[in-house]
Amino acid sequence: MTLAAARVTLKQHRFEVGAGFLAALVAGISALVVVYRLNALEVPFSCIDGWLERADGPDGAGPCAALMRPWTSVLYEEGERIFEAMRILPFTVGLLAGVPIVARELEGRTAQTAWSLEGSRVRWLVRQVAPILVLLGVGVGFAAVAMAILDTYKVAVGDPGFLALGLYGPLVIFRAFAAFGAGLMIGALLGRTLPAFVLGAALALALALAVGAVRDRWLWSLPGVPIVTLSADPHAEPQMVPRMLTTDWGYLTPDGRMISNEEGLALVPPEIAANDSPVQPVASDEWLHERGYTLLPLGVSDEMALAWAPYEALIFGLVGSLSIATTIVVVNRRRPT
């Protein structure tokens, strides 16, 4: 592909490509601005490290408190808005770029001319897709890297990295690629730009929700471990282990064994359990506590939860690849009018 052909393609789709690239650029620059503002506050790392776990203890009234107040305000007020925007940005950029490539030619009744001049419809499609995919890949990649840098500050303060999975790093690119492929395919099938974009947005939302549901089922299927550390002092409060995700509850038995929540409640006499509310088994908890059973939250470590990332990349990568392959078949067989 020549540079002249790439320029023609980008000029033809300059509004959608420009809007998508600008949106990704703004997101990336905004993330770097927040990073700059956080660094400009010059808060020592000794204050930042694990602050969310320490703020409720003595450190919350110590010398770090005054420094961390404006620091966390910038991170969680300004930074969080960018993370929220990243939930829709890769899908929007992908659809903006993918939908009009074939749909606009069919809608404007110029497909026959474009395809006959090229000689091969597949070659025409490659010439259309390649420059747009490269340019928007650069823009989305920049935003993904900038968001990954910003996320390191959330992890440093004590947030599990899994909470923002998909909003930074390579998964942003895979999400945009899936939306691009889906938009390209739907545009080729419908032959109209606006209906294809609306349907593509609905499918992107459904895909994101479906992947999220599968992720949650996978996460809750992992074997939970206690996410608190117990002190030898029986009067000391259990301390939460940082960067853990709560997935269940269990009981520490008097002899030091961990049993599940269901196993613990099964030990309670029926007349005691009958006093429990439908929401919380308070009476059963008190009965077990009086007999030396300790109710503990169970969960998974951040490292265990982040192991989901390759599965999500595979799902979105397959969606994008299969959609593009389907588009090739549709373009080869479709009548141009």
Side-chain angles (χ1 to χ4, degrees), residues 282-307:
V282 177
S284 295
D285 286 341
E286 291 180 354
W287 187 90
L288 288 166
H289 181 71
E290 290 171 357
R291 284 152 183 80
Y293 290 82
T294 304
L295 181 64
L296 297 177
L298 304 178
V300 295
S301 68
D302 206 22
E303 290 74 16
M304 294 168 62
L306 287 171

Side-chain angles (χ1 to χ4, degrees), residues 64-296:
C64 288
L67 297 173
M68 290 301 297
R69 193 173 298 112
W71 195 93
T72 54
S73 177
V74 171
L75 180 63
Y76 287 104
E77 291 181 12
E78 300 179 24
E80 201 61 32
R81 286 197 290 267
I82 309 173
F83 277 102
E84 289 301 315
M86 290 302 292
R87 296 187 185 279
I88 63 172
L89 184 136
F91 298 110
T92 303
V93 170
L95 289 173
L96 275 174
V99 165
I101 292 177
V102 180
R104 180 168 292 162
E105 298 286 356
L106 294 170
E107 195 171 31
R109 299 183 181 276
T110 57
Q112 180 63 56
T113 303
W115 293 345
S116 61
L117 289 175
E118 189 61 50
S120 166
R121 294 186 180 186
V122 175
R123 190 183 306 120
W124 171 85
L125 186 62
V126 171
R127 287 180 179 271
Q128 294 292 309
V129 167
I132 295 175
L133 205 55
V134 169
L135 184 62
L136 290 183
V138 171
V140 173
F142 168 71
V145 171
M147 294 303 297
I149 295 172
L150 180 58
D151 188 67
T152 61
Y153 289 78
K154 294 186 68 178
V155 172
V157 83
D159 266 351
F162 180 77
L163 293 180
L165 189 65
L167 309 182
Y168 64 89
L171 284 182
V172 174
I173 300 174
F174 279 101
R175 289 183 172 199
F177 176 68
F180 176 86
L184 187 70
M185 177 186 68
I186 296 170
L189 288 170
L190 296 184
R192 297 183 64 191
T193 305
L194 183 58
F197 187 84
V198 173
L199 180 58
L203 289 179
L205 176 62
L207 176 63
L209 293 175
V211 171
V214 173
R215 177 198 62 202
D216 290 343
R217 288 181 64 87
W218 173 86
L219 181 64
W220 260 253
S221 70
L222 296 177
V225 297
I227 61 174
V228 296
T229 56
L230 298 176
S231 171
D233 181 1
H235 301 290
E237 289 292 330
Q239 298 297 311
M240 294 293 294
V241 177
R243 302 179 186 92
M244 298 283 283
L245 300 174
T246 303
T247 57
D248 202 352
W249 291 83
Y251 287 94
L252 182 67
T253 65
D255 58 1
R257 294 181 299 109
M258 279 300 306
I259 60 175
S260 69
N261 189 52
E262 292 75 15
E263 290 173 319
L265 294 178
L267 301 174
V268 180
E271 61 273 16
I272 301 297
N275 298 318
D276 290 335
S277 71
V279 179
Q280 180 66 31
V282 177
S284 295
D285 286 341
E286 291 180 354
W287 187 90
L288 288 166
H289 181 71
E290 290 171 357
R291 284 152 183 80
Y293 290 82
T294 304
L295 181 64
L296 297 177

Side-chain angles (χ1 to χ4, degrees), residues 102 115 121 124-125 188 326-334:
V102 180
W115 293 345
R121 294 186 180 186
W124 171 85
L125 186 62
T326 303
T327 303
I328 293 174
V329 175
V330 172
V331 168
N332 268 329
R333 296 187 176 185
R334 171 153 190 164

